[in-house]
Amino acid sequence: MLKGKTVVLAVSGSIAAYKIASLASALKKLHANVQVLMTKNAVNFINPITFESLTGNKCLVDTFDRNFQYSVEHVALAKQADVVLVAPASANVIGKIAHGIADDMLTTTVMACKCKKIIAPAMNTNMFDNPILQDNLKILEHYGYEVISPAVGYLACGDTGAGKMPEPELLLQYILREIAYEKDMQGKRVLVTAGPTQESIDPVRFITNHSTGKMGYAIAKMCMLRGAEVTLVSGPTSIAKPEFVHVVDVVTAKEMYEEVTKRAKDQDIIIKAAAVADYRPKSVSSEKMKKKDDDLAIPMERTDDILKFLGEHKKEHQFLCGFSMETENMLENSRKKLEKKHLDMIVANNLKVEGAGFAGDTNVVTIITGQEEVSLGKMTKEETALRILDEILKATN
Ligand code: CTP
């Protein structure tokens, strides 16, 4: 995902410095070239050898260290960088960068970098709240630095408050948003639906399906990483919300209908990966239904077909993509849905094919438009999402 990209991790003196080791490792696994810079103080918290072992690159600490290839040419590294993350960023380093003081390897390199620079402050909560520090962060934002708000929690100094460096996984997401994939969806507004819906029978029970939301969440994440502005309307799922995506939680088909239809007119692309209930109990008992000796039949009524509504009210140049899950006659049934619901594309999968469908991390889909059918082999849901987006862009450009 990050092949050919250089990430500069600038580490300053804070106890959170040790957490950057797992970030460096995660970036390396994604094939990034990872260059770590440390202040002299940071070396007190984590040994440069840790970073050197993880990244395969010399960890740069002092401008006057002659024993590495960049030597006095810190500018060479600055030119190579695709993104710089200063994390943890101490009050001292923030103050120096904000006021143009460049007196070591880290500050000189950061100042020489023209690429996107991201700062993750980490310090005692009173230091963080200090108006001088806050003013310095505003200066950095003014000059285009992105400041990641510190997490709130128990700090190493014993205080509780804002000042914790966010977890490496979140820092990674900031980096990925910046440099993963070509930003070929920049300027596009995309609405994705995902997950199942739940239709209540009584306060205890509901009807749902096996959807986990994985496919829809993968699509939302990939749209975001390719630069789109993404809204994800999600039924109940247990998976983590993708970062930098506006998530709207819903439970029932009716709620999904309302949240989707009121946003639809503002969207360039709508991708409906949710497994929406086609029927719901005609009435919901306000009290728990007690069992009886007889069998039970629950009268059901149709829910609104959200996708059909969207197809009938499609605005000009809007692209509408549905999903179709079948157990037989997949292509024929999916083509019927494409036409009936006025879709531009339908992504079909056969639940009976190994590696396709709910729950797993893979899918096997056929992408159907009015003109063609593209069958993809078994691949991860994230890869599948990327291929679906390629086809959507091909059809819209
Ligand atoms: N869908 C929807 N609203 C519903 C039901 C389905 O928007 N009330 C959408 C799904 O999000 C999916 C597509 O319609 O994108 C296909 O759903 P599916 O249930 O497979 O198809 P149906 O049209 O309901 O047909 P059938 O039940 O006959 O398979």
Side-chain angles (χ1 to χ4, degrees), residues 27-40:
L27 288 164
K28 191 74 190 153
K29 282 186 191 141
L30 295 172
H31 308 290
N33 172 32
V34 185
Q35 299 281 356
V36 180
L37 303 171
M38 298 175 80
T39 60
K40 277 185 183 163

Side-chain angles (χ1 to χ4, degrees), residues 193 253 256 271-279 302-308 310 321-326 333 337 340-341 343 346:
T193 69
M256 186 172 278
I271 306 173
K272 283 222 76 242
V276 189
D278 289 322
Y279 296 91
R302 281 293 307 268
T303 58
D304 290 313
D305 191 321
I306 308 167
L307 195 54
K308 188 156 171 276
L310 296 176
C321 172
F323 268 68
S324 167
M325 183 167 273
E326 303 289 343
N333 287 341
K337 285 179 201 172
K340 192 173 130 205
K341 301 194 188 193
L343 309 180
I346 193 151

Side-chain angles (χ1 to χ4, degrees), residues 287-345:
E287 306 298 336
K288 184 184 170 203
M289 287 165 64
K290 302 301 284 178
K291 63 178 166 302
K292 304 208 172 73
D293 290 338
D294 301 338
D295 292 344
L296 173 71
I298 300 173
M300 304 278 274
E301 64 183 10
R302 281 293 307 268
T303 58
D304 290 313
D305 191 321
I306 308 167
L307 195 54
K308 188 156 171 276
F309 177 91
L310 296 176
E312 285 161 359
H313 297 84
K314 197 150 75 98
K315 66 167 202 180
E316 219 185 320
H317 305 305
Q318 188 173 62
F319 192 92
L320 198 52
C321 172
F323 268 68
S324 167
M325 183 167 273
E326 303 289 343
T327 53
E328 55 187 356
N329 305 328
M330 179 186 85
L331 292 177
E332 195 189 323
N333 287 341
S334 302
R335 278 215 167 276
K336 276 189 198 148
K337 285 179 201 172
L338 183 83
E339 274 159 41
K340 192 173 130 205
K341 301 194 188 193
H342 309 286
L343 309 180
D344 300 293
M345 176 181 285

